[in-house]
Amino acid sequence: MKATAVAHPNIALVKYWGKRDERLILPHQSSLSVTLGPLSVTTTVEFSVERGEDFVELNGRVAEGTERKRVVEALKLVRADAKQALKAKLGAARMVSKGDFPASAGLASSAAAFAALAVAARAAAGFARDVKAESILARRGSGSASRSIEGGFVRWNRGRRPDGKDSFAEQLFDEAHWPDLRLLVGMVSREEKEVKSRDGMRSTVDTSPYYPAWAKDAEVEVKGIVRHLERRDLEAVGETAERNAWRMHATALGANPPLCYLKPETLGVIQACRELRRQGVGVWFTLDAGPNPVLLTSAKDEERAAELVRAHGASEVVRCHPGGDARLVAQHLS
Ligand code: DP6
């Protein structure tokens, strides 16, 4: 009744922004991401036979409030499934999780955390590996976590069913498909963002007049980028990722009150990317709901891209490449 899993974060090239169902975490549109190595989160889950309160520890401190509630909810779902499928009676759980990158990196550490939790909790409950069930469970913790169960290039299909059973992510190409691809996170700001993604996307859906156009366009962009990824066409992938990031930020800027996640340094990096491209360096950007740009480039231009973000105030550059699947490991955290 104890298992440990390791999962990687991911960066969306076509973003998820907006839910059609807040409780089940069902998106209005499909999205597509790259799983990021070498960064990872490790999570151990142990169920006891005793009833009682779940214990949740994240990065060395006992979790409270919303953070704890989201984990406890996910554990509840595992218990309910186990009771139905395996007739197993699971008591209180002990969950310990640790990431090897700072939450402030601007990369959603919650995606890797909920993916590792889904894999570890299901294994601890006695289930065999099942990437679809794990993706659905991870999604209930955090939408983007559904895309961190499998490695490489992953599409989260929005699904149509009201119960969410067809809303899960699937791998399109594994991490060996494009080993030359580099993704560099430029940390231009470490400040906690004012509006969290969850609240920002809710407000955008409710108040931005551009929201329906965003959702429709993202669905089309997912289809297009799959073809570019298949051919490993960095220019076409980069152009799509930039356009999609701009459109996500544009629809968020259209919310009331407006949501601006960018900082002056962010715009500095974006302009410098264009300039470098004019000089023949293949570098493009994407942006989550925060100020830290993620640059897309190839191994040969990695140094130039890292210099670029440093020159625009990045205190740190986190260098990533396509990472692998979430996996069970033998060494437990506690
Ligand atoms: C901008 O998955 O963190 O990073 O489902 O509310 O937990 P919740 O949101 P979350 O949102 C991620 C938004 C994004 C784009 C993306 O990763 O697709």
Side-chain angles (χ1 to χ4, degrees), residues 10-19 22 25-26 29-33 70 106-111 114 138-147 156 193 196-199 201-202 214 244 248-249 261 287-290:
N10 68 73
I11 179 77
L13 301 177
V14 177
K15 311 287 178 190
Y16 142 57
W17 194 250
K19 299 175 182 65
E22 292 271 336
I25 310 204
L26 298 176
Q29 27 82 220
S30 304
S31 55
L32 185 142
S33 59
R70 284 169 71 177
L107 290 166
S109 62
S110 64
F114 277 107
R139 187 200 82 215
R140 295 289 298 268
S142 186
S144 54
S146 66
R147 299 187 312 238
W156 174 13
K193 58 190 176 204
K196 292 200 183 326
S197 293
R198 187 159 292 192
D199 302 326
M201 65 175 87
R202 185 186 302 122
W214 152 260
N244 179 261
M248 184 193 92
H249 284 267
Y261 288 106
L287 277 174
D288 273 352

Side-chain angles (χ1 to χ4, degrees), residues 1 8 116 136 166:
M1 301 228 282
H8 303 289
I136 289 177
D166 57 354

